[in-house]
Amino acid sequence: MSLVTFLHHLQQSNLFNSIDDYPRAKSEAIEAIKVLNALAKDPPYVNQPYLKPLSEFALTNYDRVQQKQPVSEKLIWLSSKIGIDFYFPLIEFGEKITSASDIFTTNPSSTKDGTDASTMTVPSGLEVKFKSISTSHWQDDKSHMLNLYQDLLTNCSFVSSYIALTNVNFSTYSLIAPHNTSSEYQITLTFNGCKRTVKVDDKLPYIVNSNRNLTLKSFTDSQLYWPALIEKAYLKIMGHGYCFEGSNMANDTYLLSGWIPEVIRLPNSKSIDALSHLWEMRVRNKVTLGIGTERFSNQFSSSINLIGEHDYVIDDFDGHCITLKNPWVTDDLSKRLVKVYNLTHFKYLYVNWQPKPGVEMYQENFIYTVKDGIFDQTQFTMECRKETTWLLLEKHIPVEEHHWMRINVYKSACRVVSPFDHEEHSVFETNNRLQLIKLPSGTYTLVIWSNKQGRYSLMSYGSNFHRSNYQYPHIQSLDSEWTNDTCGGNWTLASYINNPQFDIVVTKSTTLKLALFAKGLVNFDIFFADKLKIGQRIRSYNKTKCLTEDKYSQDYQSKSLHLDPGLYKIVVSNFDGSPAPFKLLSNTTESIAIQKIPSTMSLYTLKQTFLWNQQNRLKLYFKTSVYNTSIIAQIRHTDDEHAAYSRQTDYRPALRASLFSAVTKQPVQINDQFRDDCLYGLFVEERLQDPGEYILLIERFEIGKGRCDVVLGSDHKLTLL
């Protein structure tokens, strides 16, 4: 029983709380208190000053882990697991005691069997053994730290970060505990939304029969091993052991120090003048500076004394010449410092900013799931009252291959439902897992996109922010699709009325914002439906009843309008009439009802196609078997017999249709007038009182060619004869 055991129960209690397992969280919290009570009676621990803050924290923790915590806080604990290992958040107990303090490290005299499996991966072709270093050489001598270098391991970004932080007097010595011989060490690194502790053993790789190294070393102090233990912790969380797969200096400096990272893509002009202000900050130890080269061949590399796709520390700048320090050292130390007079061969500038003291940081942790529509994306709104507000978006480790993320910043005080509704202030797109965002004073909504799901943290330095709210209090979302039968296309097609339709029932005057998302050119029309019933589809495009503009836009459509009490119809279309899913979002000041209208005319439908063949009269025979059968017939002409549907510009004959009893030949419904506006079809409705056989007589004004499509619908079964 030890303080290590106490800490374990404390961490487990918070982990169980994060998955809402409150009984086990309580049990672990009690075990932590029991361990501490037992230790308080043990002579080595009696009267130790740290017992009081630990006890106070344990009691507070007991109450806290039995209560539901915000999702953001739970995610900090859930993000502890990477692979099979856990890297718990750093716990601050007060009085300068943290979960990384020496009191929570393994007894130095104890031994640990085996080696961290996650760091045993080594490059192929090398015979490597891991040996305990058992070092008592614990010095924080800046001169030796500045002489750290990489050898066979291609982690130039990490070694450059280490040197750059040493340049600005950042103590990496404080990241590791204990500062003596031990079988296990705790290293504090910043990742996945907070400072976390990483445990590593005391074994480092040695290449058999070679004087080369897989660890960083100091060429002025060969016994300086503890930086290699920090490097080992870094490699452990990166997930590939000593087969390093790349990073960049801004990311690694943030991981070591928590200093705010900024990756600046160098413009084509690549003038060094912009470095003047940054170098002034560097002289005052407020920033670290590094630079990354472009990709180029080994032959060209030798000619310019630069390595392609390599990170360098900016070691000095006199206004005209930049002195770079190469983290990779060969036998010739004279080549370590490189002087350059322009940035021609460089791609990125890496800047890490020391957080300003006294500036409050606000943070939200969230889970991102990949979705298409802008209104489904994670969004945050903030009011920046300062001259400039900084935000940092972090994708939690592990990061999948080919990951990218984008942040669209809109000048909006509410949730963005369409990219065309608000002015876009800026866009940040990167394949890096960290992105710095700088915003001037104003009100903004950030829309976060990614191609990979995962956990993220958004941190703001100095200005608070919150999850974005919709403009109005009432929200309704409907997922639907255009199928082969309902992809009617735009209003100039006869199939337009086949598109999905929705009823809007308004009981109180309301402001409506309606947004549509789908791939392609999309639009929706809203019609005042005072003459129609709920559930009844519109049968024409009536411009006098249409309240919206007929304008298609790419992937998104949104419109705002005021609706008085009444019934309205929505027709949702894409321009070319192709099958696709879509989403419709309603945001209103008052509660309204939106319901999808069935896509078929009736419960039962039959279809029949005729060719006119220079005739002007067609007959469709059908039979009913139930009294009081309601029928509806849609008759549509297509001049091109091979076309799916007619267009507005196509020729259409005037049509009329009537109903007769097939047995008595008596008329059931007579229509004398021809209708010449039948793009969407001629409709005939009737209630047939008696079961029997009937004739639907279809006539055109003059003989001609083309195709006649008839859809016959009813609330009861019909039979074509």
Side-chain angles (χ1 to χ4, degrees), residues 270-287:
K270 299 185 178 181
S271 169
I272 66 173
D273 296 339
L275 279 180
S276 298
H277 172 67
L278 288 173
W279 184 251
E280 290 176 9
M281 300 287 288
R282 157 65 182 81
V283 171
R284 290 156 47 200
N285 294 339
K286 299 299 182 183
V287 299

Side-chain angles (χ1 to χ4, degrees), residues 203-217:
K203 297 179 177 65
L204 293 176
Y206 289 84
I207 303 173
V208 177
N209 298 324
S210 174
N211 61 354
R212 303 296 297 275
N213 301 292
L214 275 175
T215 61
L216 83 168
K217 301 276 287 183

Side-chain angles (χ1 to χ4, degrees), residues 384-397:
C384 303
R385 297 182 178 179
K386 300 169 54 181
E387 183 177 345
T388 304
T389 296
W390 290 17
L391 300 99
L392 180 65
L393 180 64
E394 177 189 15
K395 168 70 168 70
H396 289 194
I397 298 170

Side-chain angles (χ1 to χ4, degrees), residues 562-605:
H562 178 82
L563 298 180
D564 291 322
L567 176 64
Y568 302 83
K569 306 284 181 178
I570 308 172
V571 181
V572 181
S573 63
N574 55 17
F575 188 81
D576 59 356
S578 55
F582 68 83
K583 185 165 188 170
L584 201 61
L585 182 79
S586 160
N587 186 209
T588 55
T589 55
E590 301 291 341
S591 179
I592 65 171
I594 300 182
Q595 290 185 332
K596 189 174 183 181
I597 303 173
S599 58
T600 55
M601 292 191 303
S602 302
L603 184 60
Y604 299 97
T605 57

Side-chain angles (χ1 to χ4, degrees), residues 67 121 129 524 528:
Q67 301 171 8
T121 308
K129 291 184 178 179
F524 59 82
F528 181 48

Side-chain angles (χ1 to χ4, degrees), residues 23 174 228 242 258 304 309 326 368 370 420 464 479 552 572 670 697:
S174 62
Y242 287 88
I304 61 174
E309 294 185 302
N326 188 351
Y368 180 86
V370 179
F420 309 125
N464 203 351
D479 290 292
Y552 287 80
V572 181
I670 293 289
L697 176 64

Side-chain angles (χ1 to χ4, degrees), residues 280-477:
E280 290 176 9
M281 300 287 288
R282 157 65 182 81
V283 171
R284 290 156 47 200
N285 294 339
K286 299 299 182 183
V287 299
T288 63
L289 295 177
I291 199 164
T293 54
E294 298 175 326
R295 175 183 294 185
F296 34 76
S297 68
N298 291 335
Q299 182 178 359
F300 186 66
S301 171
S302 300
S303 67
I304 61 174
N305 196 26
L306 289 172
I307 302 169
E309 294 185 302
H310 191 68
D311 288 354
Y312 292 82
V313 182
I314 296 180
D315 201 55
D316 196 10
F317 178 61
D318 63 6
H320 303 285
C321 174
I322 305 171
T323 301
L324 305 179
K325 179 176 281 189
N326 188 351
W328 183 48
V329 173
T330 60
D331 293 336
D332 187 1
L333 291 177
S334 64
K335 293 184 178 181
R336 182 163 213 203
L337 296 180
V338 181
K339 293 186 180 295
V340 295
Y341 296 88
N342 58 64
L343 303 178
T344 302
H345 304 298
F346 298 93
K347 191 173 185 180
Y348 298 107
L349 181 66
Y350 303 116
V351 186
N352 285 80
W353 303 80
Q354 182 185 34
K356 293 181 180 178
V359 174
E360 187 171 0
M361 188 185 80
Y362 302 89
Q363 180 168 338
E364 184 75 18
N365 310 295
F366 59 95
I367 296 175
Y368 180 86
T369 54
V370 179
K371 293 183 179 179
D372 290 329
I374 193 170
F375 40 71
D376 283 327
Q377 304 305 318
T378 303
Q379 299 189 23
F380 297 97
T381 299
M382 66 185 308
E383 183 179 357
C384 303
R385 297 182 178 179
K386 300 169 54 181
E387 183 177 345
T388 304
T389 296
W390 290 17
L391 300 99
L392 180 65
L393 180 64
E394 177 189 15
K395 168 70 168 70
H396 289 194
I397 298 170
V399 178
E400 299 84 351
E401 191 176 6
H402 306 305
H403 158 268
W404 61 259
M405 58 189 185
R406 184 175 77 241
I407 307 99
N408 294 80
V409 182
Y410 293 93
K411 292 183 177 180
S412 170
C414 59
R415 191 171 185 85
V416 177
V417 298
S418 168
F420 309 125
D421 290 352
H422 306 277
E423 180 184 350
E424 188 175 65
H425 174 268
S426 52
V427 181
F428 302 87
E429 188 163 4
T430 180
N431 60 3
N432 196 33
R433 75 174 195 92
L434 294 161
Q435 177 63 52
L436 180 63
I437 303 158
K438 298 179 181 180
L439 298 177
S441 59
T443 301
Y444 304 96
T445 291
L446 284 70
V447 182
I448 297 170
W449 308 71
S450 180
N451 65 332
K452 303 287 184 181
Q453 67 178 23
R455 299 187 180 112
Y456 287 76
S457 292
L458 180 64
M459 291 152 276
S460 171
Y461 301 88
S463 295
N464 203 351
F465 63 94
H466 58 83
R467 290 267 184 170
S468 300
N469 298 314
Y470 286 98
Q471 186 174 0
Y472 306 123
H474 300 280
I475 303 118
Q476 198 170 344
S477 178

